Each structure stands twice: as structure tokens, then as C-alpha cells.
Amino acid sequence: MKWSFVIQQKLKAALLLGGIMALIILATLLSRHNMEGIDKSFSSIYQDRLIPATTIIYLTENLYGKRLSLEEYLLTNGAGNESEIKSQLSAHNQRIDSLIAAFEKTYLVDEEAKSLTTFKTEVVKYTALEKSVLNLCNAGEQEEGKKLFAGAGANTFRNTITNLNELTNIQSSIGKDLMKESKSDIASFGIISFLQIGLAVVIGLMLLVLIQNSAIINKPKITGEKNRHFNLN
């Protein structure tokens, strides 16, 4: 009977321990999944949100640089160095093209891709207007060049800045969503960690109980004859 009871207890303990181990393995897999999600979110925040946000700043800087350079040239009524202003505008255009190419390599949502396409179109228009302004100045029509710069040129320039502001807002919105996902994954990871600790405590208590039961079962019994001798003495 004793061995039958021991086997039953060991079988129950084995089944219970097996179930707990399965839960621990499942919790570990879930933790790994959450950690991968957190890593992906933070990588996306840096690669696809922070870098483009920085790129937008540089794009804005170069657009204003072009605008101010050409404005300064017009204020001199075209008396400035023509080759120098063309070199300055060309340098800004090259940097803008490089920045746009870098922006396009990041992950873009649909709204973001549409806004970027519109921005590229406006940049092409503004570059063409700059050339027209310079051609008018070179032809001796400085006033017409100034009107084009202040009229259509200003409107197109304003559109490019508006597109960049839209891209900035999109970056901010998506960044907030990624942060929410990261916080959710971190909260889940915390819960799973507490569950793993709880399961580890349960396993420890079970082992203590098994050891205690084993000691009780294996403890030798004092026979009645020995008790009688003990009493006589």
C-alpha cells in the first residue's frame, strides 16, 4: 500500500510539474515575442521616424537657403555674381535630392508617401521658377524676375513648406502609435515575468512538500515489541 501511495503521489506531482513547465515555456516564448516587438518598435522609431524627422529639418534649411540666396541676388538687381548664385542654388538642389532619396528609403505609410510625392512635385516647380527668375534677370528684366519671385515663386515655396509640415505631423502621429505599442509590450512582459516568478515559487513549494512526504513515508515505524521493551526499561 505504501508503494502504491508513493507512486500515485509521484504521478500527480509529475503531471503537475509537467503542466507548470509547459506554462513556463509558453510564458518564455511570449516574453521573447514581446521583446522582439519592443525592439522592432524602437528600431522603427529611430530608423523610420527620427531619421526622417531630422531629414525634414535639413530639407527646410536648404529650401530657405535657396530662397534667401536668390532674394539677396535680386536685391542687388542682378549685379551680383551670376555664377556664384547658380553654384549656390545647385549645391542646395543636390543636397535636397540626396535628402529626399534618403527619406524614400525609410518605411512610408500611404499618407506619408502621398505627401512626399506632392512635395517632390512642388520642389521641381520651385526649381523651375528659380531658373526662370535668373533668366529674366540675365535678360535685363529684373522687375519681372522680382514679380515672379514674389508671386508664383512665393506660393510654390509656401506649398513646399506646407508639405514638410504635413510630413512632420505624420511622423509625430506614427511615433505616438509606436510608443503606445511599446508600452503595451512592456506591460505584457511585466505580467509574464511575475507569472514566471509565481510558477517558480510553486515549483519550489511542491518540491518541499514532496521531500517532506518522502521523509514521512520512509521513516521507520517503532514496533509494539520495541515499545514494550522500552516501557519495561
Side-chain angles (χ1 to χ4, degrees):
M1 292 296 294
K2 181 178 73 172
W3 290 110
S4 176
F5 175 77
V6 171
I7 292 173
Q8 288 179 0
Q9 293 299 313
K10 287 184 176 181
L11 182 60
K12 291 179 181 179
L15 291 174
L16 185 56
L17 285 173
I20 293 175
M21 291 301 297
L23 288 175
I24 291 177
I25 292 173
L26 179 60
T28 302
L29 293 175
L30 289 174
S31 296
R32 181 177 296 179
H33 177 72
N34 286 336
M35 290 302 296
E36 290 175 354
I38 293 171
D39 180 68
K40 183 179 179 181
S41 295
F42 279 101
S43 296
S44 182
I45 289 173
Y46 176 75
Q47 294 289 341
D48 301 322
R49 302 302 147 211
L50 182 59
I51 290 179
T54 306
T55 302
I56 291 173
I57 295 174
Y58 292 137
L59 285 169
T60 304
E61 179 184 354
N62 280 278
L63 285 170
Y64 273 103
K66 290 207 305 173
R67 183 76 178 171
L68 293 174
S69 297
L70 186 55
E71 183 178 24
E72 183 179 355
Y73 179 78
L74 291 174
L75 289 175
T76 62
N77 292 320
N81 191 328
E82 181 183 347
S83 61
E84 183 178 351
I85 184 63
K86 286 183 177 180
S87 177
Q88 291 176 359
L89 294 177
S90 177
H92 283 298
N93 288 332
Q94 289 178 1
R95 285 194 289 268
I96 288 173
D97 290 340
S98 297
L99 290 168
I100 291 175
F103 200 111
E104 290 177 324
K105 290 180 180 179
T106 62
Y107 173 75
L108 302 174
V109 298
D110 292 339
E111 185 180 1
E112 198 174 16
K114 291 178 181 178
S115 184
L116 182 60
T117 299
T118 304
F119 170 74
K120 290 167 61 179
T121 301
E122 295 299 325
V123 168
V124 172
K125 288 181 181 178
Y126 188 70
T127 301
L129 283 168
E130 286 176 336
K131 292 180 180 179
S132 298
V133 170
L134 287 176
N135 290 335
L136 288 171
C137 290
N138 294 335
E141 300 179 8
Q142 285 82 7
E143 293 302 319
E144 293 297 325
K146 291 179 180 180
K147 288 180 181 179
L148 181 60
F149 177 82
N155 291 332
T156 305
F157 178 79
R158 194 177 298 110
N159 290 336
T160 60
I161 299 302
T162 299
N163 290 134
L164 287 178
N165 290 336
E166 290 177 357
L167 287 170
T168 302
N169 292 333
I170 295 172
Q171 295 295 322
S172 177
S173 177
I174 296 176
K176 289 179 181 179
D177 292 338
L178 289 173
M179 288 300 298
K180 288 180 181 179
E181 291 179 8
S182 298
K183 289 181 179 180
S184 176
D185 289 335
I186 292 173
S188 299
F189 179 76
I191 293 173
I192 293 172
S193 297
F194 280 119
L195 176 62
Q196 289 176 320
I197 294 172
L199 291 174
V201 172
V202 171
I203 290 176
L205 293 175
M206 287 182 60
L207 290 174
L208 290 175
V209 171
L210 288 174
I211 292 171
Q212 184 178 6
N213 289 340
S214 177
I216 292 173
I217 292 172
N218 294 326
K219 184 178 181 180
K221 294 182 179 180
I222 300 176
T223 60
E225 185 178 355
K226 289 184 177 180
N227 287 332
R228 286 195 298 271
H229 286 297
F230 177 78
N231 292 330
L232 289 174
N233 292 331

